[in-house]
Amino acid sequence: MLYRLVILSGPHSGQQITVDKTSTTIGSGPGCAIRIADDEMANQHVRLESSQKGLFIRDLGTMHKILVNHHQAEEYWLKHGDEFEIGRTRFLVQATVRAEIDSTSAAAAREARDKAQRRRDILYRMSVIAGTAAVFYYAWPHIRNFTVKNYDDSSSNAVPSVADGDLKAPVKVSTNFTPSAVKPETIRPTPVSPTNQVVAIPTVKVPAPTTTNATHNPTQGPPAGVRTMPSPTDSIPTTPFIKIDSVDPNKFHGTDTFDEMRTLTVTLRRDTPAKIDIDALAVEVRFFDTVFDKDLVEGKVEPSRMQVPDKPLKADGPWASGEKKSVTATYVVPKVPKTDGTRRPAYYGYTIRVLYAGKVQDQASRPADLLKNHRQSRTN
C-alpha cells in the first residue's frame, strides 16, 4: 500500500508527495526526506512509518505537537482521508496503489515531451521565416531592375489564311474597322466535316424520393437516412483547440457506506487564444464493468450500473488563455449484502469524450480498444 500526502496549507500548498519508503522523516532541516520551509516546524518534527497495517505518525519529541483531525496527538495510526498539521503546514492523507502513482508520473513525462515538441516547432518556424527573409533580401535588387519587354504586333494586321475548304475565300480583317463596315455576307460559317459526329448525351432520370407512412419500430434500429447519435469513434477535427492534458485515476478502499470508490480527474488544455464559451464545453465520462454469466466463468463488458455520472460534466468559471480546466467523475459501488451463487460486476475501464458546441474535440479510454467496441450516446 502506498500513501500520498497532499499539502493543503503552508508555503508548499498544492504539492503532492508520495510516501513510498518504510520510514520517512518530515521537518525543516536538511537531513529530512520531506523538507518543508516552515519556520514553526522543527528540524526533525515527525516520522512516518508505512506498513501493511497503515501509516503511523510519531512526534520526535519537539516542542510543537501534532494536530490530527484538529486534535493534539503524539502518535497516531493514519488512514485515508485523515488530516494532520505540523507547524503552519496541513497535510491530507490519501491511500492509493502503485499503478495510480505510475500514471501520474507518466502524465508528467508526457507533458514534458509535449513542451519540448512545441519548442522544436517554434524554432523550426523561426528558421523558415529567417530563410525566406534572407532569400528576399538578396533577390530584391534583381527583382527591382527587371523590366518587361513590350511586344509590338502592329507591323502585321493580316490574318493567316485558313485551310482550303474551310472558307470560300481568305478573309482579311482590319484592326481599324467600324461595325457598319462589316457586311453580313463577308463572313461565312465553317462547314462541318463529315468526321465530326454529334454524340447524343443520354438523359438521366433522377428517381423521386419514396415516402412511407409505416410506423418505425425503435427495436429495429434507426430508419434509413436518419443519422444515429455520435459514437466515441467520431472523427476529431484536424486542428482541435481543446485537448485532454492528463487523466488522473484514484481508487479508494471500502468503508461502511460503500464497497469501492474511484475518481477520475480529467484535465483539459486550450490551444487557441480565441474566447471559449464555457457553457458550450462538455466532458462525457462513461464507466464500464465486466458482468458475469450465471456460471461465473465468462464476463461481458457493459456500461456500468453503479453510481456513475448520468450527464456530461461541466467546468466552472471563465476559461482564460493559458489556464487548464479540470472535471472529476466518481464511480461508487454501494455496499449491498452478498448473495451466494452470484458474482458482483467488476470494474473494467472508462471512456472520455470532450465536446464543444456538440462537436468532438478529443477522446481517450482505458483500455485503449474500449472506444472501438462500445458506442457512447450524447446527452443533450
Side-chain angles (χ1 to χ4, degrees):
M1 176 62 64
L2 294 177
Y3 291 90
R4 177 186 296 159
L5 301 180
V6 181
I7 302 180
L8 302 179
S9 64
H12 302 280
S13 178
Q15 295 186 9
Q16 298 182 5
I17 304 172
T18 301
V19 181
D20 54 358
K21 297 181 180 179
T22 305
S23 179
T24 304
T25 305
I26 303 178
S28 59
C32 296
I34 301 176
R35 185 180 181 185
I36 306 295
D38 190 338
D39 297 338
E40 298 184 11
M41 189 180 299
N43 289 337
Q44 292 187 349
H45 202 119
V46 298
R47 176 175 287 110
L48 297 175
E49 298 177 358
S50 179
S51 64
Q52 295 294 332
K53 185 177 179 180
L55 185 64
F56 185 72
I57 186 171
R58 184 196 309 273
D59 182 72
L60 297 179
T62 63
M63 295 295 294
H64 306 282
K65 301 301 181 180
I66 312 171
L67 291 179
V68 179
N69 297 328
H70 307 287
H71 296 284
Q72 184 172 328
E74 295 184 357
E75 55 184 29
Y76 194 84
W77 281 101
L78 299 172
K79 61 182 182 298
H80 176 78
D82 284 343
E83 295 182 7
F84 67 92
E85 184 175 351
I86 52 178
R88 293 183 292 113
T89 306
R90 185 159 50 95
F91 299 84
L92 170 66
V93 179
Q94 290 183 342
T96 182
V97 295
R98 168 67 65 181
E100 295 164 0
I101 298 298
D102 293 342
S103 66
T104 303
S105 301
R110 183 170 59 254
E111 182 177 1
R113 288 196 301 269
D114 293 343
K115 290 182 178 179
Q117 182 62 39
R118 287 194 292 270
R119 286 195 296 267
R120 288 193 293 268
D121 292 342
I122 292 173
L123 291 176
Y124 173 75
R125 294 189 180 98
M126 292 177 64
S127 63
V128 171
I129 294 173
T132 304
V135 170
F136 184 80
Y137 174 80
Y138 288 107
W140 172 245
H142 303 283
I143 297 175
R144 184 179 56 187
N145 296 329
F146 179 77
T147 57
V148 180
K149 180 180 179 181
N150 295 324
Y151 179 75
D152 185 10
D153 59 350
S154 60
S155 59
S156 177
N157 295 327
V159 178
S161 60
V162 296
D164 295 340
D166 290 346
L167 295 176
K168 288 187 176 181
V171 179
K172 292 184 178 181
V173 181
S174 174
T175 56
N176 299 321
F177 71 93
T178 58
S180 60
V182 181
K183 297 181 180 180
E185 63 272 11
T186 305
I187 303 176
R188 293 184 171 84
T190 302
V192 179
S193 174
T195 59
N196 296 335
Q197 302 294 330
V198 179
V199 180
I201 300 177
T203 303
V204 180
K205 184 178 181 181
V206 180
T210 58
T211 58
T212 177
N213 295 326
T215 303
H216 170 62
N217 186 357
T219 61
Q220 298 177 357
V226 176
R227 185 181 186 275
T228 58
M229 299 298 288
S231 68
T233 57
D234 283 346
S235 60
I236 299 177
T238 306
T239 56
F241 52 86
I242 300 177
K243 297 180 180 179
I244 298 175
D245 187 76
S246 63
V247 179
D248 186 16
N250 288 280
K251 179 182 177 182
F252 306 98
H253 294 282
T255 63
D256 296 337
T257 57
F258 60 84
D259 287 338
E260 179 184 344
M261 182 175 74
R262 296 173 183 263
T263 60
L264 199 65
T265 302
V266 183
T267 303
L268 308 176
R269 73 173 188 270
R270 51 180 294 177
D271 292 344
T272 176
K275 181 179 180 180
I276 291 181
D277 182 7
I278 198 68
D279 294 331
L281 176 65
V283 181
E284 293 184 352
V285 179
R286 293 195 74 186
F287 292 95
F288 290 82
D289 293 335
T290 301
V291 181
F292 298 93
D293 57 9
K294 61 181 180 179
D295 298 327
L296 308 181
V297 177
E298 296 183 357
K300 181 180 179 182
V301 178
E302 296 180 355
S304 176
R305 298 182 180 179
M306 304 301 173
Q307 296 178 7
V308 296
D310 57 354
K311 58 183 179 180
L313 305 177
K314 294 287 188 178
D316 297 331
W319 196 350
S321 179
E323 180 187 4
K324 295 181 180 180
K325 286 290 185 180
S326 298
V327 295
T328 301
T330 305
Y331 169 96
V332 178
V333 180
K335 183 172 287 294
V336 294
K338 295 184 178 179
T339 306
D340 296 337
T342 60
R343 186 174 178 181
R344 190 186 68 189
Y347 174 80
Y348 181 77
Y350 60 82
T351 61
I352 303 172
R353 288 200 320 161
V354 181
L355 300 101
Y356 185 78
K359 295 183 179 180
V360 179
Q361 291 290 317
D362 201 359
Q363 55 191 7
S365 68
R366 185 174 182 181
D369 59 353
L370 194 57
L371 280 170
K372 300 178 180 179
N373 299 335
H374 291 271
R375 298 179 61 85
Q376 181 171 0
S377 63
R378 180 192 306 169
T379 302
N380 293 327

